[in-house]
């Protein structure tokens, strides 16, 4: 929800939930105490009648209020600015930057900066830099660049460090990514379901793509040189299990193997999504807290959206903090129907 569309009722709901996702979007002024706080402030909630909302600390101070010494609301903007500055430095540097160096650039101690950066991004500065290098390598390799050139251009010190970082994370060998998936065999089919046509694709490890209203073209875009095989006897058995998971999700689908790769944070989020029981939902804040990063709500939302295997990784079970459905890659009607079926 954008700042302009928020109502005071929305803001009060965020305060009551102590939702860290709203920190920096407004501050809460308490007229009886003369202070203003972050929405997530851990202090005891004031009476609603004594609360006013302000766009930022400057607006609150203009009315005579002072910042809360417990939640330090004015540090939100400073922290965000420091993280943005650090990310820019990481992206511009050809060599990995030490934590002490990044902290010095932002005026924080290394320990405090590590906490601030992790709270905002869901990753430590070192993990963020590794993920950035991996993403650059993926992009360069998928464009057909030579392996050695892609490795050095992405910021790795050499091939050995690249393969050490990539082992088990890309789902295919680096040389396969150079040629758009050459060497990988992916069985696939588009089947009609009560939710519409569904694309299911799998490697020998498990389902690597489940989506709606997509076809072979979508797979060719991801793996233009992979060996795409329509159907197959072994695949037919797996396909039947997947269709049953969609049509009758209360039967469970933990037994269906999946083949997905992402960053460490993304994979942690996906594991938590698979733990949500059928018929229940979680908020993005719940997921972020479950993976040990309670402040990384936005990062949890991004990981949720990066899910390539709908239903089996049940991102449809994640809703907004106010209980509304939020978005869904394949349209809210499908999300509503899945939740309805699981609630029976």
């Amino acid at each position: 929800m954008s700042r302009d569309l928020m109502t005071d009722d929305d803001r009060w709901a965020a305060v009551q939930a102590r939702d860290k996702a709203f920190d920096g979007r407004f501050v809460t002024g308490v007229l009886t105490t003369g202070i203003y706080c972050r929405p997530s402030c851990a202090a005891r909630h004031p009476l609603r009648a004594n609360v006013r909302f302000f766009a930022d600390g400057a607006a609150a101070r203009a009315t005579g209020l002072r910042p809360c010494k417990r939640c330090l609301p004015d540090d939100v903007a400073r922290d965000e600015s420091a993280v943005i500055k650090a990310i820019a430095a990481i992206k511009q540097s050809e060599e990995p930057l030490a934590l002490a160096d990044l902290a010095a650039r932002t005026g924080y101690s290394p320990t405090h900066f590590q906490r601030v950066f992790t709270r905002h991004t869901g990753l430590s500065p070192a993990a963020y830099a590794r993920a950035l290098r991996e993403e650059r390598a993926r992009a360069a390799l998928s464009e057909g660049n030579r392996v050695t050139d892609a490795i050095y251009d992405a910021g790795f010190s050499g091939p050995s460090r690249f393969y050490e970082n990539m082992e088990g994370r890309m789902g295919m060998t680096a040389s396969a990514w150079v040629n758009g998936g050459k060497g990988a065999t992916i069985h696939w089919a588009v089947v009609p379901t009560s939710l519409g046509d569904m694309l299911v694709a799998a490697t020998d490890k498990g389902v690597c793509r489940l989506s709606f209203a997509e076809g072979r073209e979508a797979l060719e875009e991801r793996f233009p040189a992979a060996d795409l095989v329509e159907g197959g006897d072994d695949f037919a058995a797996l396909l039947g299990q997947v269709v049953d998971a969609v049509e009758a999700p209360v039967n469970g689908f933990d037994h269906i193997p999946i083949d997905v790769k992402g960053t460490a944070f993304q994979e942690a989020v996906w594991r938590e999504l698979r733990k949500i029981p059928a018929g229940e939902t979680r908020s993005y804040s719940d997921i972020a807290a479950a993976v040990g990063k309670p402040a990384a709500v936005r990062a949890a939302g991004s990981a949720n959206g990066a899910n390539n295997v709908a239903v089996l990784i049940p991102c449809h079970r994640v809703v907004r903090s106010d209980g509304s459905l939020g978005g869904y890659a394949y349209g809210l009607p499908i999300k509503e129907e899945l939740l309805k079926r699981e609630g029976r």
Side-chain angles (χ1 to χ4, degrees):
M1 181 183 301
S2 71
R3 188 192 303 240
D4 293 339
L5 295 178
M6 291 184 69
T7 66
D8 281 354
D9 287 342
D10 295 328
R11 296 182 180 93
W12 181 239
V15 170
Q16 290 182 306
R18 293 190 170 90
D19 194 335
K20 293 180 181 292
F22 289 89
D23 286 355
R25 299 178 66 180
F26 67 89
V27 296
T28 305
V30 185
L31 304 183
T32 49
T33 61
I35 64 171
Y36 62 91
C37 303
R38 306 183 188 207
S40 67
C41 184
R44 182 178 178 180
H45 287 142
L47 294 175
R48 175 66 182 87
N50 297 329
V51 169
R52 283 185 59 193
F53 299 107
F54 299 90
D56 51 34
R61 291 192 300 274
T63 67
L65 299 178
R66 62 186 185 280
C68 172
K69 293 183 178 180
R70 181 170 185 174
C71 69
L72 303 173
D74 292 341
D75 282 359
V76 176
R78 182 187 175 209
D79 289 351
E80 184 173 359
S81 176
V83 170
I84 292 173
K85 185 175 183 179
I87 288 175
I90 291 171
K91 289 182 176 180
Q92 292 169 6
S93 177
E94 295 183 358
E95 298 292 335
L97 296 175
L99 176 62
D101 185 3
L102 289 171
R105 294 174 184 233
T106 58
Y108 288 88
S109 70
T111 301
H112 183 61
F113 177 72
Q114 173 110 334
R115 287 198 299 267
V116 167
F117 192 96
T118 303
R119 184 168 64 241
H120 277 71
T121 67
L123 298 170
S124 68
Y128 183 94
R130 286 195 299 271
L132 179 63
R133 291 197 300 273
E134 290 174 11
E135 186 60 33
R136 286 173 175 169
R138 286 189 180 95
L141 291 170
S142 64
E143 290 171 0
N145 294 347
R146 293 177 60 249
V147 174
T148 303
D149 292 341
I151 288 172
Y152 286 109
D153 289 346
F156 289 95
S157 58
S160 61
R161 181 57 60 87
F162 169 77
Y163 287 108
E164 177 185 330
N165 276 264
M166 292 302 188
E167 183 178 4
R169 301 192 61 80
M170 296 179 71
M172 288 184 269
T173 63
S175 59
W177 277 93
V178 170
N179 299 305
K182 185 176 181 180
T185 298
I186 300 175
H187 290 265
W188 69 279
V190 174
V191 293
T193 73
S194 57
L195 297 177
D197 288 345
M198 180 175 70
L199 169 67
V200 181
T203 65
D204 58 354
K205 296 179 182 179
V207 177
C208 61
R209 181 66 178 170
L210 193 160
S211 59
F212 296 94
E214 286 189 339
R216 182 187 177 101
E217 296 81 6
L219 291 179
E220 290 177 339
E221 183 177 344
R222 287 174 172 78
F223 310 113
D227 184 12
L228 300 181
V229 179
E230 187 170 5
D233 293 339
D234 293 338
F235 176 71
L238 177 63
L239 181 62
Q241 296 178 49
V242 175
V243 172
D244 182 62
V246 172
E247 301 292 3
V250 292
N251 293 337
F253 40 75
D254 290 344
H255 61 289
I256 300 177
I258 60 176
D259 183 8
V260 294
K261 298 296 178 185
T263 66
F265 182 79
Q266 286 174 331
E267 291 177 7
V269 168
W270 297 338
R271 285 193 296 270
E272 288 303 321
L273 294 180
R274 299 198 88 193
K275 293 178 183 178
I276 305 173
E280 297 185 16
T281 59
R282 300 287 187 272
S283 69
Y284 295 109
S285 297
D286 293 333
I287 297 300
V291 299
K293 308 289 185 183
V297 178
R298 292 186 180 88
S302 296
N304 195 65
N307 172 27
N308 280 313
V309 182
V311 184
L312 302 184
I313 297 178
C315 55
H316 61 276
R317 294 177 186 167
V318 182
V319 299
R320 290 176 175 168
S321 298
D322 62 4
S324 61
L325 291 183
Y328 192 57
Y330 308 107
L332 288 182
I334 290 181
K335 183 173 186 175
E336 288 179 311
E337 179 59 26
L338 286 170
L339 292 174
K340 180 180 177 181
R341 293 177 183 184
E342 294 178 351
R344 291 172 184 167

